[in-house]
Structure formats: C-alpha cells, structure tokens
C-alpha cells in the first residue's frame, strides 16, 4: 500500500457506515473531546489479559522503519512526545536488547517503563484483509478481468465503467487477468491482494494509485433499491447479491462506483508476511491497524479494549485509510484469504482506543537502534 493511498481496506471505510444514533454520538464525543491525560499502562482495562508478545514482530518492524528516517522526521499524532522519530529511540533500544523467547511480563515492564497511554475515547473498530484471487498473466476465456498498473500520464483517468469498456486497452497496463469480476471489485476496495497463477506462483499486488474519481458505496445503492435490508448489510451480503445477479446487473451496480484502483507488484514479501502498509512495513495479522495519523503517530503502539467478543489487544499503527478519521477510529488487519475476509467483513464494533506514546521527548542526538529482524 502507498502512503498516499485514499483507498484502504474494508469496504465500509468509504461506505459511510450507518451507525446507530448512540454509537454515532460516542464517535462524535471521541472526536470532539480529544485525547485524555496520560495514563500508566498497567492501569489500562485488560492490559494484563493480552498476550502482548504477539505484537512484538510488529513493534520491531516499526523500530526498523524509524531507524531509516531522520531523527526529526514528523510522525503525526497528538501534541507532545511521540511526534518525532527520535522520541521513540529509548523504547526501540530497549526492544532491541530483548532476547528471544520474550517473556510477556518482561515486555509489559519494558513498555510501561518507556511509554504512557493517551485515552482517545470510544470510537469504531472495523476490519480489512488481503484477498486471494486466481489469475493468469495472459487473458483467456476463464481469465477475463484485468488488473491495471497506474497509467504514466497524469490523472484524472477514466471511470470504472469506461475502463471496463476498454478505455485503457492496448496500452500494456494489464498486470494480470483474474477469473472473477466480483473478487476484482473487492480487491480494489481492500487496496492490496494476492493472485495465484496456474503454476502456483503468487503475485503480490499493492496500491499504486486511483483514477481521481470519488468512491461510491454500492451497498447504499442496493439498500435504496430494496435489494438488501439495511440491518443485513455487510461485505458478504453485497458479494452474495452480485454473484446471484446476472452479469449485466452485477456490472451495472459495480460501475455505479466510478472510483478505480491501480496496482503495482510487491517484491520481496515472504508468504507469511502481510502487504505493505502506508508506513512502509509488512502488516502483521491481527496486530497491525490502520489509523488517522492526525491523531496517532505512524508506527506507534495502540491499545484496544471494550470490543464485544474480542479480548483487549496491543496493536501497532502501520497503515492509514481514506475513511479512517478521528482519534478513536481504527481498522484492524486480519490477514489474507477467506477466513480473514469473513472475520474482517463481520467487524464493526465500538472500541475504546488508547495511543501509547513516550513518557518524554528524547534528545535529538540519540541514535535510533534497529532491532534484529526476528519473527
């Protein structure tokens, strides 16, 4: 994914989720109140319940990324410590000194020593994932839907309907052809994915750009037409409707969303690694989260609590999204494949969000140490 992308993970990010009035009020309060005073980590609700060591690979990736940045590079987030790279050097040095296997209590003590929490309030947690599609490097009667590279000329580029009618044909922009137009549509919404070729090769694709036209949530159209009840709306419900509709009817609904995403091949990613988030590191399933960098520093730990049927969890802010806005808005990366998609598609819950920041700014001369790349 790209730091400039405006088309992040889950479909509801731009679908203007229709929250109940009470939940919408909670979100509004979280946005207007701003972060609350600093809190010791060991007093956070559920802090001692989480298996925090499972977030260590993601924390190490943040430290590794910070180590490549200037000490005074801005990371976003609320006023105070944590807005610049150098502020994180003491915590990263301590993480680099940890020896595997890491004992959870030792990691909790380390984090509590170097970090404190800001209560961002209660907002909304959704989920996204990396789809797995089937494709071919050449078109065939089975593989008819192309995924395109970003055109070299400056946008705006043609609409989805125009592109699907052939507006980009014969320009050499096709990266791969896939066998399912509905899967391709939702790949555009997620922003990255895997395409399995006939010989078993897996092509990893990431976000490269967008055609410059606004996103329209087709779920809204299906509700307006009475095709799906508002209470039953979900990613899975939309997919089911598109698959049972005629190809022409499905295409007409999908083309109601003029936004179109362009992709780029992602090189050097291992099969067990997620796609690149906007922070420039591979996402860790169930531990990486997309946030609003106006309120959360890029790469910072985030603690989540109060989600129904989900234990409290230490997360790491390593991605962003066009509709992820506000201090308590988060989008959890679940992984890849059908199971991850089912879990991501069913997640839309109130959540209490805490951002973890350094206790005090670090001297700008302090060198960032890169932890060893251990998994």
């Amino acid at each position: 994914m790209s730091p400039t992308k405006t088309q992040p993970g889950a479909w509801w990010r731009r679908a203007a989720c229709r929250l109940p009035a009470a939940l919408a009020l909670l979100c509004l309060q979280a946005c207007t109140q701003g972060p609350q005073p600093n809190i010791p980590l060991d007093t956070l609700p559920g802090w001692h319940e989480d298996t925090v060591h499972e977030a260590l690979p993601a924390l190490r990736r943040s430290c590794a990324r910070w180590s490549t940045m200037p000490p005074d590079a801005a990371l976003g987030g609320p006023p105070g410590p944590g807005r610049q790279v150098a502020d994180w050097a003491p915590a990263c040095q301590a993480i680099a000194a940890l020896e595997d296997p890491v004992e959870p209590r030792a990691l909790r003590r380390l984090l509590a020593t170097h970090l404190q929490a800001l209560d961002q309030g209660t907002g909304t947690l959704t989920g996204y994932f990396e789809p797995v599609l089937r494709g071919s490097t050449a078109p065939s009667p089975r593989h008819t839907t192309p995924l395109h590279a970003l055109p070299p000329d400056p946008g705006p580029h043609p609409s989805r309907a125009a592109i699907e009618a052939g507006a980009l044909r014969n320009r050499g922009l096709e990266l791969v052809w896939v066998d399912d137009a509905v899967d391709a549509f939702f790949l555009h919404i997620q922003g990255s994915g895997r395409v399995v070729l006939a010989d078993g090769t897996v092509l990893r694709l990431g976000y490269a750009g967008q055609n410059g036209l606004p996103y329209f949530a087709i779920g809204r159209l299906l509700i307006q037409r009475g095709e799906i009840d508002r209470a039953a709306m979900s990613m899975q419900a939309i997919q089911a409707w598109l698959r049972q509709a005629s190809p022409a009817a499905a295409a007409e609904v999908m083309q109601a969303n003029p936004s179109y995403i362009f992709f780029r091949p992602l090189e050097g990613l291992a099969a067990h690694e997620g796609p690149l988030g906007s922070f420039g590191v591979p996402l860790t399933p169930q531990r990486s989260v997309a946030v609003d960098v106006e309120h959360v520093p890029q790469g910072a730990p985030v603690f989540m609590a109060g989600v129904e049927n989900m234990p409290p969890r230490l997360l790491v802010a390593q991605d962003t999204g066009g509709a992820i806005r506000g201090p308590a808005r988060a989008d959890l990366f679940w992984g890849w494949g059908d199971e991850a998609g089912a879990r991501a598609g069913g997640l839309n819950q109130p959540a209490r969000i805490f951002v973890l920041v350094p206790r005090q700014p670090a001297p700008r001369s302090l060198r960032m140490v890169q932890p060893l790349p251990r998994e």
Side-chain angles (χ1 to χ4, degrees):
M1 301 182 192
S2 161
T4 59
K5 78 182 177 77
T6 57
Q7 184 82 4
W11 67 272
W12 45 78
R13 295 182 186 180
R14 271 160 311 288
C17 293
R18 297 163 179 83
L19 301 175
L23 180 55
L25 178 60
L26 285 173
C27 293
L28 177 61
Q29 290 172 342
C31 292
T32 56
Q33 290 176 354
Q36 298 304 299
N38 303 341
I39 303 165
L41 300 193
D42 59 7
T43 66
L44 295 177
W47 174 251
H48 295 280
E49 301 172 22
D50 182 32
T51 51
V52 294
H53 62 284
E54 294 179 1
L56 187 55
L59 291 170
R60 284 173 167 158
R61 285 183 172 133
S62 281
C63 288
R65 177 71 179 96
W66 286 326
S67 73
T68 68
M69 302 169 68
D72 60 352
L75 299 171
R83 290 181 61 86
Q84 291 187 310
V85 165
D87 295 341
W88 296 93
C92 285
Q93 289 176 351
I95 289 173
L98 287 172
E99 295 185 1
D100 289 327
V102 175
E103 205 277 324
R105 286 178 295 182
L107 182 57
R108 283 195 184 90
R109 286 194 300 269
L110 182 156
L111 295 174
T113 297
H114 292 278
L115 307 178
Q116 59 193 347
L118 301 178
D119 187 350
Q120 303 285 84
T122 297
T124 303
L125 179 71
T126 53
Y128 67 116
F129 75 110
E130 188 181 20
V132 178
L133 289 73
R134 298 170 301 277
S136 171
T137 55
S140 72
R142 177 182 175 186
H143 303 96
T144 59
T145 302
L147 302 175
H148 291 92
L150 180 67
D153 49 300
H157 302 292
S159 68
R160 175 179 299 275
I163 291 173
E164 292 181 356
L168 298 180
R169 195 172 296 150
N170 300 321
R171 295 186 58 184
L173 296 172
E174 296 87 354
L175 295 170
V176 66
W177 284 259
V178 297
D179 64 356
D180 191 301
V182 174
D183 284 348
F185 179 84
F186 279 91
L187 175 63
H188 283 226
I189 295 176
Q190 299 300 320
S192 63
R194 306 179 183 213
V195 181
V196 181
L197 305 179
D199 63 358
T201 302
V202 178
L203 176 63
R204 304 289 295 272
L205 296 178
Y207 177 92
Q210 191 254 3
N211 64 347
L213 298 176
Y215 178 91
F216 175 78
I218 65 170
R220 183 188 313 167
L221 177 63
L222 293 172
I223 289 173
Q224 292 172 348
R225 293 182 176 181
E227 300 289 352
I228 300 177
D229 185 80
R230 184 184 301 271
M233 177 54 64
S234 69
M235 181 178 69
Q236 288 83 358
I238 296 175
Q239 289 174 325
W241 188 92
L242 292 171
R243 295 192 190 286
Q244 62 82 32
S246 69
E252 183 263 334
V253 167
M254 290 187 288
Q255 289 172 4
N257 172 25
S259 176
Y260 192 90
I261 299 303
F262 302 104
F263 297 96
R264 62 186 177 92
L266 298 179
E267 306 291 344
L269 289 175
H272 69 274
E273 292 181 321
L276 292 179
S278 63
F279 188 48
V281 301
L283 301 179
T284 302
Q286 301 186 47
R287 292 292 174 172
S288 293
V289 68
V291 298
D292 183 351
V293 296
E294 292 293 321
H295 301 278
V296 180
Q298 298 177 80
V302 174
F303 192 71
M304 172 205 73
V307 180
E308 185 177 355
N309 299 320
M310 184 182 296
R313 189 170 302 190
L314 179 64
L315 308 171
V316 186
Q318 294 173 327
D319 205 2
T320 55
I324 308 302
R325 293 289 180 263
R329 180 70 174 90
D331 204 17
L332 178 62
F333 175 68
W334 278 101
W336 46 90
D338 293 341
E339 182 179 351
R343 300 183 77 174
L347 181 59
N348 188 349
Q349 296 286 341
R352 191 171 177 189
I353 302 295
F354 301 86
V355 58
L356 277 52
V357 296
R359 287 185 172 274
Q360 58 187 3
R364 294 296 171 260
S365 59
L366 191 60
R367 184 171 64 92
M368 177 68 71
V369 172
Q370 177 174 339
L372 297 176
R374 293 167 284 187
E375 291 297 334

